[in-house]
Amino acid sequence: MLAKNIHICCTLLICLSAFLSKHSLAGECSDVRLSGPPVWPPYVNGEEKGTERTGLAIDLVNDIFSELGVTHQIDDAKPWARVTSELEQGKIDIVFALLSSPQRRENYVFTESWLDDYYAVVTYRGREFPFEGMEDLKSRRGVVYHGINLPPPLNQAQSEAYDLIEIPEIPSLYKMLRLGRADYILTSPLTFKRLMPDGYVWSDFTVLEPSIVRIPIYMAISKKSPCLTILDNLNAKISQHGQRLKTERYSEIFSN
């Protein structure tokens, strides 16, 4: 009888310990503060301050944290430099969409990637040219949005060996291609397509397929955030939903 009672007590203690451990984990990472780029279509759509943010990354975050049973809040759009600074300081727990770099990996803890974006050389239809490598751009004028970080090897065009103009006004990028003042733009075709001004259609442009570079998108956790405790659970959900996105919606959102 004594042995039986001891066995029952031990079982109860194990169950209680598991319950408290799970409860403690949720308590350490509760009311998660999330932020991201002010705009990165179709992952993050630009919204007016005070309105609910939308996009593929927002849907992903809402699904994942709902399944994890962790409350969360997504802040209003704000300058990207402020977002990354607040992530490093621990004022934000998680950034839900960003690309990897050695410096960023020193400052934040990265999750598994949840989808790939892609960058490419885009031209105005009817003015395509052969592209076998970056050398083919040296004799042509290109444009790029001011401040954008291009992945290799496309970032070679941002050196002095290339005639590449940085443009801060988005409509001007499209206008320069249409008027023949630029031969190409280096961009994410997805973002380029979603930000297109009135008067343009996607069929006006051509993606030079050999130039395509695919790059993974991640979430990142502040090293000062208690939410580091849920990294493994978060990665499991990201892997699960990432596979769904790549199979169910990949062809849809990456189609031309």
Side-chain angles (χ1 to χ4, degrees):
M1 179 64 70
L2 179 60
K4 183 177 180 180
N5 288 339
I6 291 175
H7 176 74
I8 292 173
C9 289
C10 289
T11 302
L12 290 173
L13 285 172
I14 291 172
C15 293
L16 180 61
S17 175
F19 172 80
L20 290 175
S21 175
K22 182 178 180 180
H23 180 74
S24 175
L25 180 63
E28 291 175 1
C29 179
S30 60
D31 199 19
V32 183
R33 301 158 297 174
L34 295 113
S35 190
V39 58
W40 187 6
Y43 313 108
V44 185
N45 298 320
E47 303 292 336
E48 295 296 327
K49 186 174 182 180
T51 61
E52 185 176 359
R53 304 184 75 187
T54 62
L56 195 61
I58 308 299
D59 294 340
L60 178 68
V61 162
N62 288 333
D63 288 342
I64 285 178
F65 283 95
S66 175
E67 292 174 13
L68 289 175
V70 178
T71 59
H72 67 283
Q73 54 181 328
I74 299 173
D75 65 7
D76 292 333
K78 54 191 175 187
W80 180 240
R82 180 179 167 191
V83 172
T84 55
S85 175
E86 289 186 356
L87 181 67
E88 187 170 354
Q89 296 169 17
K91 295 179 180 179
I92 295 170
D93 294 302
I94 297 173
V95 163
F96 48 69
L98 79 169
L99 305 180
S100 176
S101 72
Q103 181 179 0
R104 288 177 179 177
R105 286 194 173 271
E106 286 183 5
N107 294 334
Y108 327 123
V109 176
F110 274 68
T111 66
E112 302 292 337
S113 67
W114 53 269
L115 198 63
D116 289 346
D117 192 13
Y118 75 103
Y119 283 74
V121 177
V122 177
T123 65
Y124 201 77
R125 188 169 296 279
R127 302 194 193 117
E128 298 90 346
F129 53 86
F131 180 89
E132 296 181 0
M134 295 301 295
E135 290 291 321
D136 294 324
L137 300 182
K138 285 189 174 180
S139 61
R140 305 180 186 277
R141 167 164 288 181
V143 290
V144 67
Y145 183 66
H146 175 72
I148 194 171
N149 291 317
L150 294 169
L154 298 179
N155 61 352
Q156 293 177 23
Q158 294 175 303
S159 70
E160 293 182 357
Y162 294 80
D163 183 8
L164 185 70
I165 305 172
E166 292 197 358
I167 305 292
E169 301 86 15
I170 289 176
S172 296
L173 297 168
Y174 302 83
K175 185 176 181 179
M176 290 189 70
L177 288 177
R178 172 182 277 179
L179 297 179
R181 295 175 182 170
D183 300 304
Y184 67 90
I185 181 174
L186 297 176
T187 185
S188 163
L190 286 173
T191 302
F192 185 79
K193 182 177 180 180
R194 297 312 195 277
L195 295 180
M196 193 170 295
D198 293 338
Y200 294 86
V201 292
W202 179 237
S203 58
D204 289 339
F205 303 93
T206 301
V207 177
L208 301 186
E209 297 290 337
S211 70
I212 290 177
V213 178
R214 298 195 180 276
I215 45 179
I217 305 173
Y218 301 87
M219 296 185 194
I221 306 176
S222 171
K223 289 185 175 181
K224 297 181 180 180
S225 171
C227 292
L228 288 171
T229 57
I230 67 166
L231 178 60
D232 290 342
N233 292 333
L234 184 58
N235 275 332
K237 288 296 181 182
I238 285 173
S239 177
Q240 174 188 338
H241 284 272
Q243 288 300 318
R244 175 180 59 80
L245 289 173
K246 290 171 184 176
T247 55
E248 293 180 6
R249 300 192 60 181
Y250 194 93
S251 60
E252 171 193 339
I253 66 172
F254 282 87
S255 64
N256 290 341

